[in-house]
Amino acid sequence: MSSVAVYGTVLGLYLAVLIAMGLWMGRRTRSAEDFYIGGRQVGPWVTAFSFVAAYFSSVVIVGGGAFGYRFGMSTLWIAASNVLIGCTLAWIVLGRRVWEFTKRLDTMTIPGFIGRRYGAREAEVFSALVVFVFMIVYNVSVLVGMGRIMEGLMGIPYVTGVLIAGTIILIYVSIGGYLAVVWTSFVQAWIMIFGLLLLGFAALRAVGGISAAAVSLAAIDRGLVETPGVWGWGGLVSFALIVSFGVWGMPQLLVRFYSMKSTRVLRLGTVLATLGGAMALFPYLTGALSRLLLPALDNPDLAIPMLTKQLLNPWGGAIFLAGVMAAGMSTFASVLIIVSGAIVKDLLGGRKTNGARIARADAKKDPDRGGSREVRLGRVASLGAGLVSLLIALRPPALVLVITAFAWAVIASACLWPVVLGVYWKRGTRAGATSSMIVGAVVALGWMAAGRPLGVHGFIPGVLVSLLVFVFVSLATKPPPRELIDRAWGKGEVSADV
Amino acid sequence: MAGPLGLPWSTFAALLVIAASIVIAIVWAGARGSGGRHDDE
């Protein structure tokens, strides 16, 4: 069997399974709550592994390998921060509270949570706009990554690769909604883990083990094994924080917390998400090892694809490619459902529809009408948002590719504190939340546009300034109304938590 | 100075942080399961 036939068989099978899952989940999607958060009925295994799959995109796998190639073993600290801050602590600190607050406030989206927690429609609209613009751009980068790796490994023309991946995601997300996203992500997480382990261990074997690799890398440059090594503290720490602490403000990951069927899910889910998150080690480690196996690469982004070709047979290569595709598709799909929610629930819905409550009232009058109308809207919105990303990705303008580097920083800088302090600090006010979001997004964007002064990622100044603005403006303005706090914290629990 | 696996301690510590995260998650889950805070159904 030729290698193209092997790749075609594995990928064809994999993509057919995804479509079948989308169609199956579509039959279980009846209400808006089903479409956006799986009816809050998702268990620990699916929640945890779909979290991990959405967290690590194909950009992380290919880009992580490139970072490992350029900066060496110090990039293992990025993986460590991914696991500790992005998985374990995120689940422990935010999981329970985000679940409880979104349930009490009856909301299915992060912009909706921000709007209701602070009684601030303007904050809801602003965060929905940030999500809409920057998540679409983020998805462009994910598609571009998938198209390039399909081109590199299979020789499929870039445009064809983007069209295949994008179309299949659009089909299963628009039909199956959130349930399709989390169940396909659950399967995709295992394919990613298997693919990364396969390549990682093949690379370790080829270099004679990690100790031998450390000696050889140190012989090239001691900075390739030391921390911070050739990268320096500014670049390493700020990048590690954006891809770990930034998670705390990313809607496509926070949604996993409020789609759980109960907070009991958190116990096993936290352990599973931590174990699954540990796969982040492999792109960086493999990238560092590839410096020894492919010493003269002009473009470090090619480290992982080239290594796959060099070390794995066609079946192994096809499984690894499926893993990279899985990483990209799960992230793209997770983001798509969030953008759809931002459009339908937050930008178009607003006060008039008052989200789920009205849908439920509609459904009471006519059990099919209220739910299915919102589901139809959600499907159209996810299809539309996905098509926009797809069309841009076919021939991405240089400006869009530049903005993709800003997407995480801007979304996290805008949403992180209104979410984190929204569930921990009762004194946070409408003015504090709104001003912190605007200032955080502008500072992150401005810092990146200025060319990352001091080598620091825009997320760091963005998130620091937005924290200061949130606290000072909140303390300088009138405390939020009692009924708003009672509703968010639940009556009776208020005094215990003040 | 070389630490375990031939890596400097400053880099090897990253692997320890990953192991510690797994321990933290297990201990936290265990504490919640053994009559800690009430879980919502």
Side-chain angles (χ1 to χ4, degrees):
Chain A
M1 209 172 185
S2 73
S3 62
V4 173
V6 170
Y7 275 82
T9 306
V10 172
L11 271 193
L13 195 70
Y14 162 64
L15 297 176
V17 168
L18 294 184
I19 292 184
M21 290 178 84
L23 294 173
W24 176 253
M25 293 305 160
R27 294 158 63 101
R28 288 176 52 184
T29 300
R30 295 190 180 88
S31 67
E33 199 171 55
D34 292 338
F35 189 81
Y36 288 115
I37 52 174
R40 291 187 194 265
Q41 285 301 316
V42 187
W45 284 85
V46 174
T47 302
F49 282 95
S50 68
F51 175 92
V52 167
Y55 188 170
F56 303 118
S57 72
S58 46
V59 178
V60 171
I61 294 180
V62 177
F67 277 125
Y69 188 91
R70 285 174 64 194
F71 303 123
M73 294 287 192
S74 69
T75 53
L76 299 186
W77 276 105
I78 301 171
S81 65
N82 285 156
V83 180
L84 179 64
I85 304 171
C87 294
T88 316
L89 294 181
W91 277 65
I92 291 174
V93 175
L94 292 176
R96 180 188 177 91
R97 292 207 176 215
V98 168
W99 187 88
E100 289 175 342
F101 276 66
T102 51
K103 194 161 185 170
R104 285 191 210 112
L105 294 171
D106 198 10
T107 178
M108 300 179 208
T109 64
I110 287 299
F113 161 76
I114 291 170
R116 288 174 193 209
R117 161 64 184 84
Y118 300 101
R121 172 73 179 145
E122 65 281 6
E124 180 179 358
V125 170
F126 181 77
S127 53
L129 282 174
V130 167
V131 165
F132 176 72
V133 173
F134 287 93
M135 289 259 172
I136 283 183
V137 169
Y138 176 49
N139 260 353
V140 171
S141 72
V142 174
L143 273 177
V144 169
M146 279 193 286
R148 285 196 180 144
I149 199 152
M150 283 171 92
E151 190 176 37
L153 281 181
M154 286 179 72
I156 293 178
Y158 169 81
V159 170
T160 313
V162 167
L163 280 174
I164 292 174
T167 308
I168 287 169
I169 304 170
L170 288 185
I171 292 172
Y172 75 74
V173 173
S174 59
I175 294 174
Y178 185 77
L179 284 173
V181 170
V182 287
W183 275 96
T184 51
S185 297
F186 171 72
V187 172
Q188 286 163 326
W190 288 103
I191 300 172
M192 287 163 67
I193 291 170
F194 189 67
L196 285 170
L197 287 176
L198 200 67
L199 185 63
F201 282 106
L204 274 172
R205 207 174 139 197
V207 297
I210 197 164
S211 301
V215 171
S216 305
L217 283 170
I220 298 171
D221 184 342
R222 274 213 66 76
L224 290 173
V225 291
E226 283 171 346
T227 300
V230 291
W231 204 349
W233 286 115
L236 177 63
V237 172
S238 62
F239 188 78
L241 281 177
I242 169 70
V243 294
S244 56
F245 190 43
V247 164
W248 297 31
M250 296 304 279
Q252 81 273 23
L253 298 170
L254 294 169
V255 64
R256 298 295 186 271
F257 297 140
Y258 54 90
S259 63
M260 296 183 301
K261 63 181 167 193
S262 77
T263 54
R264 290 174 71 92
V265 168
L266 283 171
R267 284 190 220 156
L268 182 56
T270 302
V271 178
L272 295 174
T274 304
L275 288 171
M279 78 161 128
L281 190 63
F282 284 90
Y284 299 105
L285 177 64
T286 310
L289 300 181
S290 67
R291 182 80 177 235
L292 299 171
L293 298 165
L294 304 161
L297 273 185
D298 289 333
N299 178 5
D301 280 337
L302 295 175
I304 295 289
M306 296 285 284
L307 204 63
T308 308
K309 270 188 170 172
Q310 184 171 316
L311 295 181
L312 302 180
N313 64 26
W315 287 101
I319 291 170
F320 184 78
L321 175 62
V324 178
M325 293 281 290
M329 292 175 91
S330 55
T331 302
F332 188 102
S334 300
V335 167
L336 210 51
I337 207 88
I338 294 299
V339 175
S340 168
I343 298 169
V344 175
K345 307 296 291 181
D346 305 314
L347 292 175
L348 300 178
R351 279 181 180 152
K352 272 185 186 170
T353 57
N354 195 18
R357 196 169 300 153
I358 299 298
R360 253 180 248 140
D362 279 355
K364 266 184 198 163
K365 286 179 216 153
D366 176 349
D368 187 48
R369 208 179 122 222
S372 62
R373 192 172 140 266
E374 281 213 35
V375 173
R376 267 202 307 278
L377 266 177
R379 284 185 171 139
V380 171
S382 56
L383 209 57
L387 275 175
V388 171
S389 295
L390 187 60
L391 290 174
I392 298 174
L394 289 177
R395 281 189 70 181
L399 179 65
V400 171
L401 291 179
V402 172
I403 295 174
T404 56
F406 303 178
W408 260 71
V410 176
I411 297 167
S413 299
C415 298
L416 195 147
W417 294 118
V419 170
V420 176
L421 295 178
V423 296
Y424 275 100
W425 194 40
K426 289 176 181 166
R427 188 63 179 77
T429 65
R430 175 181 186 162
T434 309
S435 52
S436 121
M437 291 176 77
I438 295 170
V439 173
V442 169
V443 168
L445 204 56
W447 192 274
M448 298 295 278
R452 305 183 189 201
L454 311 171
V456 171
H457 199 286
F459 169 71
I460 302 296
V463 87
L464 281 176
V465 174
S466 82
L467 172 63
L468 291 175
V469 169
F470 192 111
V471 171
F472 285 122
V473 174
S474 289
L475 292 175
T477 46
K478 225 171 85 179
R482 186 77 184 171
E483 57 271 23
L484 203 69
I485 296 301
D486 283 351
R487 192 174 168 216
W489 261 263
K491 277 188 180 172
E493 294 172 41
V494 178
S495 55
D497 279 348
V498 170
Chain B
M1 187 177 290
L5 301 176
L7 295 172
W9 276 102
S10 61
T11 304
F12 180 75
L15 301 176
L16 291 181
V17 167
I18 294 176
S21 304
I22 297 170
V23 173
I24 291 169
I26 293 170
V27 170
W28 180 80
R32 283 183 68 88
S34 59
R37 294 189 64 175
H38 163 74
D39 283 318
D40 301 88
E41 293 302 328

